[in-house]
Amino acid sequence: MPRDSLHLSAGSITSETFSNCFSKNQVFSDQIDLVSPSDQVKFSFKDFFCPNLKIYNLHVFDLITLDFINTFVHNDSISCITKNQQPCSEDIFCVLSTGYLVLSLTSATYYKLGLDGVKIKSSQNKFLVQVNLKDRSIAAGSKFYNRLKWCFDSSRCNLQCDVVFSVYEKQYLSKLVEHFSQFKSQIVEANFDNVRSFSKLETPILSCNETSGNSTSVSFSSFYEWIGALCCGIVLPSIVTTVSSCITPSPCCQLNISHTSLGVLLHNDSIKSFLTFLSSAISDRNIAWAAVVFHGCTNSPILSLNHPHLDEFGCFPSLTFVIFPNHTYWIGRCVSD
């Protein structure tokens, strides 16, 4: 049985290393938990994220039209993923901001489709197919594009699902609505109003320069366990009914803790911009730290990928950042060995 392990790294928000975390691939996140020893972190976040657009019964063929590719894919403005599908037993697909269309397909759909793919090792009957929508061969009249259209034609495959789109700039939201005007759609606003506060909670003492822990600050692994228990105690009350059942860190102190949960699909550039914005915000308000947990979409096809066009952060289901006022960050990823 694979075991989960914690991978930790640290650096500066202003460094190229941080920028590269999000510049080359899509880190899908459909829920954020924001925890901080201050309720001031909730300011203006509602206006920071662009709303999502949910399109009902969208066929994958509509994502490979030249009009869609030229308007949205080539300028890295959108990403999208199927919604309410079962990843182990149903067909799922997404479009990354890199321009890749990634599909996780059942064997029945895969063999009917006729495109090259690879068998997913963790599944007995699923295959992974990737199409680079930015490739030069995606052009009117090309043999490859004509074959692609033939494979994805609705008369041959029933790849039709509800799809959620994430945009980096609001101008593309109205363009998406117009582009898919013939479909039933719903604009999903980001909502950071779900704030819960806890008085005098035993809270870890952190030092941005000490990740392994000492007598005056906790290790990142201890903090990771604490924040995981805290979030589970709030989000899953049937499992952990009280916040007081959280792991007690050492050393610690009693602080008033604010927790905010947000359900929204994020474009990778939105995640990067949000963390940069958060770093400046806590610096301006003299807040000791802020922790952000990005929960990855469990139905994302990219969880099965391990290819060169994805960097090391692309294949993990969740990321936990701790942001400090001096623009330092910690990042932790819980992965299976």
Side-chain angles (χ1 to χ4, degrees), residues 19-32:
S19 181
N20 289 339
C21 292
F22 310 102
S23 61
K24 294 182 179 180
N25 86 90
Q26 172 70 51
V27 181
F28 279 117
S29 178
D30 58 3
Q31 181 183 323
I32 300 173

Side-chain angles (χ1 to χ4, degrees), residues 137-285:
S137 61
I138 306 292
S142 75
K143 291 183 179 180
F144 177 77
Y145 184 57
N146 287 339
R147 174 172 171 73
L148 193 66
K149 291 192 296 181
W150 179 81
C151 291
F152 284 129
D153 189 272
S154 58
S155 63
R156 298 193 68 259
C157 69
N158 187 29
L159 286 173
Q160 191 170 12
C161 312
D162 296 342
V163 177
V164 176
F165 287 84
S166 175
V167 298
Y168 180 47
E169 296 180 358
K170 290 185 178 180
Q171 60 176 315
Y172 291 108
L173 181 64
S174 59
K175 290 183 178 181
L176 273 175
V177 172
E178 181 181 357
H179 182 85
F180 293 115
S181 58
Q182 72 273 31
F183 292 89
K184 179 184 176 182
S185 64
Q186 177 186 0
I187 294 178
V188 183
E189 297 281 352
N191 185 359
F192 253 116
D193 291 337
N194 184 24
V195 180
R196 304 195 184 201
S197 300
F198 303 92
S199 300
K200 296 182 179 181
L201 187 66
E202 297 291 342
T203 305
I205 297 175
L206 298 180
S207 171
C208 62
N209 298 318
E210 182 57 60
T211 59
S212 58
N214 55 31
S215 60
T216 59
S217 66
V218 301
S219 66
F220 182 81
S221 59
S222 296
F223 178 81
Y224 189 91
E225 292 176 350
W226 177 83
I227 196 171
L230 178 67
C231 291
C232 286
I234 298 168
V235 178
L236 301 173
S238 61
I239 297 176
V240 184
T241 55
T242 63
V243 177
S244 61
S245 64
C246 290
I247 298 170
T248 302
S250 179
C252 65
C253 62
Q254 290 188 342
L255 293 176
N256 297 330
I257 293 296
S258 174
H259 170 267
T260 304
S261 182
L262 168 69
V264 64
L265 182 67
L266 292 181
H267 190 277
N268 58 339
D269 287 330
S270 298
I271 295 177
K272 174 186 172 183
S273 298
F274 170 61
L275 292 173
T276 303
F277 178 72
L278 181 62
S279 176
S280 298
I282 65 174
S283 296
D284 294 342
R285 287 159 177 77

Side-chain angles (χ1 to χ4, degrees), residues 40 88 92 97 116-117 128 133 136 141 180 212 226 231 271 286-287 292 296 308 316 320-322 329-331:
Q40 297 183 52
C88 295
I92 57 177
S97 62
D116 292 334
L128 200 69
L133 299 179
R136 292 182 179 180
F180 293 115
S212 58
W226 177 83
C231 291
I271 295 177
N286 198 29
I287 299 172
V292 189
F316 300 106
T320 300
F321 279 88
V322 183
Y329 71 90
W330 296 349
I331 179 174

